[in-house]
Amino acid sequence: MNTAFSRLLSRVLAAANLTLAAGVIALAPALPTQAMAAGGFSAKLASELPAPKQAIINGVLWKCAGDQCVAPDQGSRPVLVCRSVAKAFGPVTRFATTAGEISADELAKCAGK
């Protein structure tokens, strides 16, 4: 009986681990954006990328998924970084730094207008 209980307990714990792992995987795409936005740059693209993409811009790794991109603060002028992000990933509709979102005028400069 002890062996049967051990097997049952093992199965229950294995199922619980799979459920927990699935929950973590489901939340994973949101975690980098939330964590990075608090201490770095974030950009919203005009259209979603077909697959997650990464690029090194000014020596800093940018990670994009869907229409969201994030990176640690580069210490560079936000408009210049925004332009580089637009070149690497496509048009940007929103760009934010640790100080807040850039202005509409700066966003237009980012787009080259």
Side-chain angles (χ1 to χ4, degrees), residues 16-27:
N17 283 336
L18 289 174
T19 302
L20 179 62
V24 169
I25 290 170
L27 290 175

Side-chain angles (χ1 to χ4, degrees), residues 54-94:
Q54 299 180 2
I56 296 176
I57 298 174
N58 298 334
V60 176
L61 179 64
W62 276 81
K63 295 180 181 182
C64 297
D67 65 352
Q68 300 294 318
C69 298
V70 294
D73 191 336
Q74 298 176 350
S76 299
R77 287 186 45 214
V79 174
L80 299 178
V81 177
C82 183
R83 282 185 185 166
S84 298
V85 169
K87 284 181 185 176
F89 301 107
V92 174
T93 60
R94 183 182 100 12

